[in-house]
Amino acid sequence: MLRLRCISPSAALGIVALVAVVALPACEKKTAPDDSHLVDLSRSTVRARNAMMVGYPGSRNRVSINLFGTQAKSRIDVTAPVRLGCKGASVIGNPQRMSTGVYAAEVEPAPDASTAICVATVGARILPNPAIFDILEPCTQSSPDEETSRSKILARRFAPIIYQNVGRQPRSDYLAAIDFDGNVNPRDNRDNLSAYPLVGAVYYSVVETSTNVFIIYAMFHPMSYGYFVDESAEATENDMTGLMVVLDRNHLKGPPVLVVTYLDGQFLHYSNDAKILPGTERVVGEIPFEDRRRPRVYVESGRHGTLITSELVIGEYTGEPGADFPGGQGIVYRPGRNVVEPDGPNDRNAQYRLVPLLDSLWKLREFVGERSVFTSTFRMDSGCTYPARFVSSEPTVRGGRPPWAWDDVDDGGVKVGEFFFWPAHTLATHLSMPESFDLQYEYNPYLGIR
């Protein structure tokens, strides 16, 4: 007895000549259950990693899809297919699940497009807020000649109180400007360390989105040294470390919501905001303030790592009121206008001046070479190349990194330079930020947005 099973239409075409008169049972189309109704469309988001994407052949932008549930109000997975479609860019593969409720795909810009828009679907439902970003030619951004008045006011209002530990080489631990010796040639700073006054200076840069302000404060030391007997083994000339202060634009009279410090190739995150939660990086602790809104930070002697509190540090300053510096000597710097060299290694009332990065170091970025300001470069995914280190007096001694080259050695997909150029995207990767946290830059002079 002949038993006929349900077969697909394509298979049926192959035998139609043999059994043309036989009626075959129709196949039922089997599909995965559509549980997209469990997704809260109003809370789910589609975001491009870069609000501005440089459109050169082979460039990629990562677009993430975050699905939130209607009941639990947390990220959820679904069995319904998650897809991404773009106009002005091509999607490379299908979105891949990265973690609970988070899917990601890479897109490549079309050669003739100036804007891309990417829409996500879950099953038969469309997420209402697409990801939109500009596509520009590589490295054509121009920057203004000087920092804005608004940025200067914000930088001064939230400038940190700096507790600088002073160790075995006191003058190496004093804050200074790169041109403390009257020139911008870093190669002679080591030789001039004892010949010129070391007047405190802190460089700053400002970037804004619609919801937040990101201020980097960078501290320059002509020399750093290590903890070993042979201190030259860890020596760095023209060292630069610092921190980022993050503000809520709706509460610019209140304290910062987040502080990120830079310590020996690590970013350490501190916050008093319960809405800022750990992500790929953890929240190390809370932020202590002076004058209600100035964060208090500690700078190591020798290596000059910047932190508030951390178990990573040898001879750590706890930051508690009344606590002394490790070794008993240190300088407390506050922002001021009539700035002079500290009155010795135990000056608790020293001052520093604020220097706009845009008006100073940023203008020197084209001077790269062994006898210039910077040596060596790094290339970002955008195709743009920037200086990686300051020059030093000897080829065997490392130069420090300017702020745009700071990087965390183990923070996953965040690459060198992104902390400076794309601060909102970097923090959204490092931490779980509040829903209102926006990634669209409204002021970023280093990318030509102003």
Side-chain angles (χ1 to χ4, degrees):
M1 178 179 179
L2 177 64
R3 296 182 180 272
L4 297 176
R5 297 181 179 179
C6 164
I7 61 175
S8 66
S10 59
L13 289 175
I15 60 172
V16 67
L18 297 178
V19 290
V21 297
V22 178
L24 298 176
C27 292
E28 293 184 4
K29 186 177 181 180
K30 295 184 178 180
T31 59
D34 186 353
D35 56 358
S36 60
H37 63 280
L38 300 177
V39 175
D40 186 343
L41 299 185
S42 65
R43 287 170 51 84
S44 300
T45 60
V46 186
R47 289 179 174 173
R49 180 174 183 179
N50 295 332
M52 181 177 295
M53 177 180 177
V54 179
Y56 68 98
S59 66
R60 300 283 177 87
N61 195 357
R62 177 173 167 172
V63 176
S64 59
I65 304 163
N66 299 275
L67 302 183
F68 284 83
T70 56
Q71 302 296 327
K73 300 300 182 183
S74 59
R75 292 190 178 96
I76 62 167
D77 294 332
V78 292
T79 57
V82 179
R83 297 187 176 91
L84 184 72
C86 297
K87 181 179 180 181
S90 301
V91 181
I92 311 300
N94 296 317
Q96 302 294 314
R97 187 169 72 85
M98 308 302 295
S99 60
T100 301
V102 180
Y103 301 77
E106 289 192 326
V107 300
E108 184 173 325
D112 56 349
S114 60
T115 302
I117 178 170
C118 295
V119 177
T121 59
V122 184
R125 307 176 74 202
I126 301 175
L127 269 62
N129 298 315
I132 303 174
F133 52 91
D134 296 324
I135 301 172
L136 301 181
E137 291 301 318
C139 308
T140 57
Q141 305 96 341
S142 61
S143 58
D145 292 333
E146 63 179 26
E147 191 59 88
T148 65
S149 297
R150 170 183 167 85
S151 295
K152 292 177 181 179
I153 292 171
L154 290 175
R156 178 161 292 277
R157 181 182 299 171
F158 296 95
I161 310 298
I162 300 169
Y163 284 66
Q164 172 68 63
N165 192 45
V166 176
R168 295 184 297 273
Q169 300 182 23
R171 294 189 66 79
S172 295
D173 294 322
Y174 285 21
L175 298 184
I178 188 174
D179 58 350
F180 74 94
D181 56 355
N183 65 67
V184 293
N185 175 18
R187 297 179 71 248
D188 61 5
N189 283 348
R190 180 178 185 175
D191 294 337
N192 292 337
L193 185 61
S194 299
Y196 292 84
L198 297 177
V199 179
V202 172
Y203 296 84
Y204 71 90
S205 69
V206 179
V207 169
E208 295 193 47
T209 65
S210 65
T211 57
N212 295 91
V213 179
F214 308 85
I215 309 177
I216 284 180
Y217 296 96
M219 292 160 279
F220 181 81
H221 296 82
M223 280 291 298
S224 71
Y225 57 95
Y227 294 112
F228 301 129
V229 174
D230 180 9
E231 295 177 339
S232 63
E234 289 185 271
T236 299
E237 293 184 13
N238 305 307
D239 194 17
M240 209 165 208
T241 58
L243 64 148
M244 176 188 287
V245 172
V246 183
L247 315 175
D248 183 339
R249 279 184 59 167
N250 291 324
H251 299 91
L252 291 179
K253 293 185 178 180
V257 297
L258 181 69
V259 171
V260 186
T261 66
Y262 184 52
L263 170 78
D264 296 335
Q266 295 283 332
F267 292 129
L268 303 179
H269 304 75
Y270 304 86
S271 178
N272 301 345
D273 189 339
K275 295 180 180 178
I276 297 177
L277 301 173
T280 58
E281 299 287 314
R282 64 192 183 96
V283 178
V284 177
E286 296 185 347
I287 310 166
F289 294 104
E290 292 189 18
D291 302 329
R292 294 185 300 174
R293 59 190 174 208
R294 297 189 187 279
R296 183 173 66 236
V297 299
Y298 169 74
V299 181
E300 294 178 294
S301 61
R303 296 183 301 177
H304 304 140
T306 307
L307 65 148
I308 291 175
T309 57
S310 171
E311 67 275 13
L312 300 176
V313 178
I314 302 173
E316 177 190 348
Y317 175 69
T318 64
E320 295 299 323
D324 206 350
F325 289 90
Q329 61 180 6
I331 301 171
V332 180
Y333 286 96
R334 293 178 174 85
R337 300 184 185 276
N338 300 315
V339 183
V340 297
E341 179 175 298
D343 185 18
N346 264 318
D347 189 346
R348 305 301 168 94
N349 294 292
Q351 293 185 341
Y352 66 84
R353 64 186 176 95
L354 286 165
V355 182
L357 189 78
L358 196 64
D359 307 1
S360 53
L361 290 183
W362 183 247
K363 289 185 176 181
L364 302 175
R365 66 190 183 280
E366 302 298 331
F367 294 91
V368 180
E370 290 185 2
R371 303 187 65 82
S372 192
V373 178
F374 301 100
T375 181
S376 76
T377 60
F378 68 95
R379 181 184 176 91
M380 297 188 68
D381 286 347
S382 63
C384 301
T385 299
Y386 299 100
R389 291 186 179 275
F390 290 101
V391 298
S392 59
S393 61
E394 301 176 11
T396 57
V397 179
R398 292 185 308 170
R401 291 182 176 273
W404 56 78
W406 291 352
D407 187 35
D408 192 319
V409 296
D410 60 0
D411 63 347
V414 179
K415 300 178 181 178
V416 58
E418 294 185 5
F419 180 79
F420 180 86
F421 292 104
W422 309 100
H425 296 78
T426 299
L427 294 180
T429 301
H430 284 173
L431 303 172
S432 177
M433 301 298 290
E435 289 181 54
S436 60
F437 188 75
D438 189 22
L439 302 182
Q440 301 297 322
Y441 297 100
E442 294 192 352
Y443 177 70
N444 192 333
Y446 307 97
L447 298 179
I449 304 173
R450 56 186 187 273

